[in-house]
Amino acid sequence: MRPARLLSRYAPSPSGDLHLGNIRTGVLAFLCARTTGRVFRWRVEDLDRVQDGAAERQRADLESLGVDVDPPVLVQSARTDRYAAHLAALAERGLTYECYCSRKEIQAAPSAPHTPPGAYPGTCRDLGETTRRTARARLREQGRRPAVRLRTAHESVTVDDDFLGPVTGAVDDFVLRRGDGVVAYNLAVVVDDGETGIDQVVRADDLASSAPRQAHLAALLGFAVPRYVHVPLVLAPSGARLAKRDGAVTLRELDALGFDVWAWLGRSCGFGPWSGMEQALAEFDLGRLAPEPVVFTPPAD
C-alpha cells in the first residue's frame, strides 16, 4: 500500500503585502514541510479584506526567497459551496443555532459560569421559535441576518503542538457564519485543511488559542486533526505585533534599503545568519528554533 502523502500549507490573507513577520512564518512553514518530507501548498484566504494584486505579490515575495509551492493553489472564495454544505450538515445534526446578538450586546452580557473570558454567554442558544421569528424580523429591518453558532458542551480540548507542547482551551459556542453572511475563519480553515488532507499547520503563536476550537470542529466533521506548530511572533520595538505601520517592513522596502533578510531570518530563528534557502534547509531543526518572540527594529531610510 502506498503511504499517504503528508501535506503542509501557508495561508495568508491577501489584505496587503507581507511584512517581515509574515515572511518569517511563511519561511518557517516551508522549512517544517520540506524537512519532514511534506508537500507544501498555498492557500488564498480571501473571504474578507482583499487588496487587488496582494495575493500575487505575497506569493512572488516568498518564491523569491526560494519557497517552492506545490500545486494546486486553493482559493477560499471559490469554495463557498463546500463551507455551506458542511454548515448544513452540522445544522441537520442539531449542532448549530442562530444568534441575533450584536457585538455590543455580547460584551454587555454577563458571562456564563465556568466559561473563559470573552466566551459567548449563550444568549440565543435556547430561545423559543416565536422569539426567534421576532429577532429575525428585527434584523431584517436593520439589513442584517443572524449569525450561526456551533452548539457545544463547553468542554476543554487539548491539542498537541510540536513546538509549544499541549495547548488546552475551552470550546464555547463560536461563530460558524457571521451576520454579514461570510463564513467564519474557524469553519473555513477546518474544511479547507480537512478536505485537502493538510496534516501539519504552521502559523504564528497568536493563533494557538484557536487550535482547540478547530480541533473540536474537525472531529465533528470527521476530519483528522492536523499537527500544529505555532511559532513565535515578530514584534515591533513597542512590544506590539509587527505591522506595516511600523516602517520599512515589507520585502520590497527592505530590499531597497539593502537589508539582508536571509541573515536576519537565520539569526531570528536561533541559528547563525543564513545566506539563503539552501543553507536554511540544511541547518533547520524545529527543536533548535528560538522560543522567544522576536523584536524587529525597521532600518532607517
Side-chain angles (χ1 to χ4, degrees):
M1 178 184 293
R2 271 184 82 185
R5 288 192 305 171
L6 303 177
L7 292 91
S8 186
R9 49 80 163 173
Y10 184 54
S13 173
S15 56
D17 290 349
L18 300 175
H19 60 62
L20 192 58
N22 308 135
I23 291 168
R24 182 178 185 268
T25 300
V27 168
L28 284 172
F30 181 74
L31 293 173
C32 286
R34 287 294 188 255
T35 56
T36 56
R38 283 177 165 84
V39 172
F40 186 72
R41 293 279 169 76
W42 187 277
R43 185 162 77 219
V44 180
E45 297 194 341
D46 61 343
L47 295 178
D48 210 336
R49 294 177 300 159
V50 176
Q51 184 185 101
D52 287 345
E56 293 76 15
R57 294 195 304 273
Q58 289 176 345
R59 183 171 170 186
D61 280 351
L62 284 187
E63 286 182 336
S64 74
L65 293 173
V67 172
D68 184 18
V69 176
D70 297 307
V73 172
L74 186 144
V75 180
Q76 285 189 332
S77 59
R79 291 176 47 79
T80 54
D81 60 330
R82 300 305 307 145
Y83 310 138
H86 285 285
L87 188 60
L90 290 169
E92 288 176 4
R93 296 164 60 189
L95 293 175
T96 67
Y97 63 91
E98 291 182 344
C99 176
Y100 316 98
C101 300
S102 66
R103 287 187 180 182
K104 185 176 181 180
E105 289 168 339
I106 293 172
Q107 291 170 352
S111 297
H114 312 300
T115 58
Y120 180 66
T123 308
C124 299
R125 181 182 174 106
D126 297 312
L127 298 178
E129 187 53 39
T130 300
T131 304
R132 292 189 181 280
R133 283 198 297 268
T134 301
R136 290 187 201 109
R138 172 174 57 84
L139 290 185
R140 279 197 300 270
E141 291 174 358
Q142 301 171 359
R144 298 166 52 204
R145 61 189 295 188
V148 175
R149 291 184 179 273
L150 182 69
R151 187 183 296 273
T152 71
H154 294 266
E155 59 191 6
S156 290
V157 172
T158 299
V159 299
D160 291 323
D161 187 290
D162 288 340
F163 186 69
L164 298 179
V167 175
T168 301
V171 179
D172 65 340
D173 291 2
F174 57 92
V175 171
L176 300 174
R177 190 190 71 205
R178 302 183 334 207
D180 59 4
V182 176
V183 173
Y185 170 78
N186 282 318
L187 176 60
V189 300
V190 168
V191 171
D192 290 341
D193 288 343
E195 289 195 340
T196 57
I198 299 298
D199 75 319
Q200 182 189 70
V201 172
V202 182
R203 57 192 182 184
D205 60 10
D206 60 330
L207 292 172
S209 61
S210 68
R213 284 177 168 180
Q214 291 167 13
H216 176 74
L217 182 56
L220 287 178
L221 295 176
F223 298 131
V225 177
R227 303 293 308 183
Y228 289 102
V229 183
H230 289 95
V231 298
L233 280 171
V234 177
L235 306 178
S238 65
R241 180 175 179 170
L242 188 69
K244 282 170 278 193
R245 64 176 176 271
D246 292 312
V249 294
T250 69
L251 189 61
R252 288 168 180 78
E253 292 168 339
L254 293 169
D255 282 347
L257 295 174
F259 183 81
D260 191 336
V261 171
W262 266 117
W264 181 88
L265 286 171
R267 287 192 294 266
S268 77
C269 291
F271 301 84
W274 285 332
S275 59
M277 182 60 77
E278 184 177 355
Q279 183 180 3
L281 285 168
E283 294 185 1
F284 181 72
D285 177 352
L286 183 62
R288 293 176 53 198
L289 180 63
E292 301 84 9
V294 181
V295 177
F296 176 69
T297 302
D301 294 344

